[in-house]
Structure formats: structure tokens, C-alpha cells
Amino acid sequence: MQILSERAARQRLDDMNADVRHVRVTKDRRIITYHATVPAHTGKVRRVPALFVHLCVAGGGHLKQKAGISALDTDIAPGDIGVSPPNAQGMGRWPEMTVIAIGIAVDSLVESFGENWPERIKVSALTETVRDPLVEAMMMDVGYTRANKVTDSTLLHAAHMIAHQLLDQPFEDDKITEEVTPLTKRAVQIVNDFLIENIDRHVAVSEMAETVGISRHHFSRRFKVATGETPHQFAIRGKLDHAAKMLEAEDRESVLSISNSIGYANPAQFAKVFRRHFGLSPRKWRKRHIQNKSEGG
């Protein structure tokens, strides 16, 4: 089932008296993103036949939601990410809230993750809001930083990365793990080399899969078993490790230049992801390295 057309989506937001800053729907009507401030609300939340991920940017409130046997009943604050499965029933209460949202059609989820994708949604994402710097960075990128420049392919890539981060669960079942053949070390190296060659942009999982001739769905599972990380996590870690080495280099390249060189147009988002990964901001990381080098010398 397709998502609303861009015109219909704008009209629905207008009917809610929302202050719409950006709306974009891909031509195939599989992905939608919007950035809007919705006014005070108390009552039911509209059911939609798609997976929606919402990032609270400002304001907040309270949301109760039920989807199958999972239920969410929580407060929402800036930085919180909420996941609404297709046709989830909900009640909301907020004075005003600004959100960036990405909606993904069920057909697209099935194509990317298989028929069992609902079973792979992380339990935490259905029972409470989550904080994930990678998801937040991607949503800020397509909904704010590059909102008026984002292409269909970029939006599709972002939506897939976000879904992968929220849906992909660790292989805790030994039986399942044994049935999945891990990628060979050579295949992982080929993927890693490809990521290094394209470190200045965000590479889609489908592109990684193509380098070793495996379907996207099977590639993700086999890669996770081989490395212990999803392809997206592996790629982001590689970018951040590369950035850390650049920060430690003698030429003292600017943080902005380093951010751009690994595909982050927004240096603030790069700094946030870097700090979550290493525990220090890029500038503090560089300062500590210089101090350690000085003390060692």
C-alpha cells in the first residue's frame, strides 16, 4: 500500500493546523518525511498504514500507543524518538510539539527486511521512546539540514538506514545463528575497502551487498553474524575511527573539514555522534591527544 501523495500529506497537516516547514514524498510513494510543529492536542492519534518514526525536536507531551501485544505509555521530550507500527492505536496529549517524521510503506519494509520484519522491531522501541544518535542524525539531515535538497534516493537510503537500526535485533537464538552462514573474511574486507573508498558519503546497505553479490536482506544477516555489527553500525564506526585519526594528525585539519570528509554536512550532528561513540567531543579528543603526546615526549 502506498503512502499519501505529497499534496494529500500537506493537506492533512494543514487540517491539523500544523506549522509545516517541510514535506517530501518519494515518487513511488513509499517514503514520506515532514518537519512540522503541531498545535496543542488531547485525544486520539490518527492511525496510518505505515511504519512511522518521529523525532521530537521541541516541545513534548505524553503518548499512549498499542500495537498488537506491545504497548507504549510515556512522556516525550526533545531528542526522544518514537516508533509507531502500521495502524497502531494511540492517544496523545501535548501543548505543542515540533517533530521530524519519516514514514515507510509496508511494501518497502517487506522488500528490504522480509515478511517477518514486525517480529524484528526492538522491544524497547515499542514500549518506550528511544535515544539513538545515528537515527537522530539521519532524521535531522533529511528533515532539517538538507530538507529542501534531499533527493528520492537520499530519502530512500535514510529511511532504510533508520529502519535497519530500529528493527535489527541481535541473534540471541543459537539455532538461528547456526543457520545463518557468516560472510567470509574476504567478503567483509571487500565491503570495508568499498566503504573506505566512499567514506565521504553515506553508503546504502544495498550498495554494500552488491559488492559481494548478495541480496540486501541476506547480506545484512550474514554480515551481522560475521562481524557482530549491522552494516550500518560497521560503516558509522569506520567513519568515526577515521575521523579520530584525522583529529590526531599533525596538520590539524578543521573539525568542519573532517566532518564533511566523512559525509556529515552538519558538523553539530557529527560532533554529537562522535561524542556518543568516544565519550568526548572532536575538539576535546584532539586536545587530549595533543596533551598525551606532549607528556609522552
Side-chain angles (χ1 to χ4, degrees), residues 212-276:
V212 290
I214 301 173
S215 71
R216 179 168 56 186
H217 174 61
H218 292 294
F219 168 78
S220 295
R221 299 180 66 199
R222 294 180 63 184
F223 190 94
K224 180 71 176 288
V225 173
T227 66
E229 297 178 296
T230 67
H232 180 58
Q233 291 169 337
F234 183 89
I236 294 299
R237 181 175 57 78
K239 285 177 178 291
L240 296 177
D241 287 344
H242 180 76
K245 291 178 181 178
M246 293 180 71
L247 288 165
E248 297 167 7
E250 294 290 343
D251 56 12
R252 300 289 300 280
E253 193 167 354
S254 72
V255 172
L256 175 61
S257 177
I258 292 173
S259 173
N260 288 331
S261 72
I262 64 168
Y264 283 90
N266 185 340
Q269 288 303 314
F270 161 66
K272 177 180 286 189
V273 174
F274 189 95
R275 184 167 54 250
R276 291 286 179 88

Side-chain angles (χ1 to χ4, degrees), residues 9-166:
R10 285 183 178 276
Q11 184 60 57
R12 182 165 292 183
L13 288 166
D14 287 341
D15 291 344
M16 297 168 57
N17 295 317
D19 177 10
V20 181
R21 305 179 189 187
H22 170 70
V23 179
R24 178 62 185 270
V25 178
T26 55
K27 290 181 180 179
D28 60 10
R29 289 170 58 184
R30 287 191 168 198
I31 311 293
I32 180 175
T33 183
Y34 65 82
H35 181 184
T37 298
V38 292
H41 174 84
T42 299
K44 292 183 178 180
V45 177
R46 185 188 293 270
R47 297 171 63 176
V48 292
L51 176 76
F52 262 85
V53 181
H54 295 84
L55 167 65
C56 177
V57 178
H62 190 88
L63 177 67
K64 294 179 67 175
Q65 175 180 279
K66 186 173 183 180
I69 61 174
S70 300
L72 178 149
D73 188 349
T74 186
D75 291 324
I76 304 170
D80 286 341
I81 297 166
V83 179
S84 296
N87 297 311
Q89 301 179 29
M91 297 286 292
R93 182 181 71 254
W94 53 80
E96 183 178 272
M97 183 160 51
T98 301
V99 299
I100 292 174
I102 287 187
I104 310 169
V106 171
D107 288 350
S108 185
L109 290 165
V110 170
E111 180 181 310
S112 299
F113 301 100
E115 293 285 350
N116 70 331
W117 71 265
E119 301 168 16
R120 297 174 58 195
I121 299 179
K122 293 177 180 177
V123 174
S124 59
L126 293 178
T127 56
E128 58 187 63
T129 56
V130 298
R131 294 209 171 213
D132 188 307
L134 302 181
V135 173
E136 181 179 354
M138 295 293 285
M139 295 187 73
M140 287 295 293
D141 186 43
V142 299
Y144 177 72
T145 306
R146 292 191 292 167
N148 296 318
K149 300 178 181 178
V150 64
T151 63
D152 277 13
S153 59
T154 299
L155 184 52
L156 179 63
H157 163 66
H160 183 271
M161 291 293 99
I162 290 168
H164 198 283
Q165 185 73 357
L166 294 173

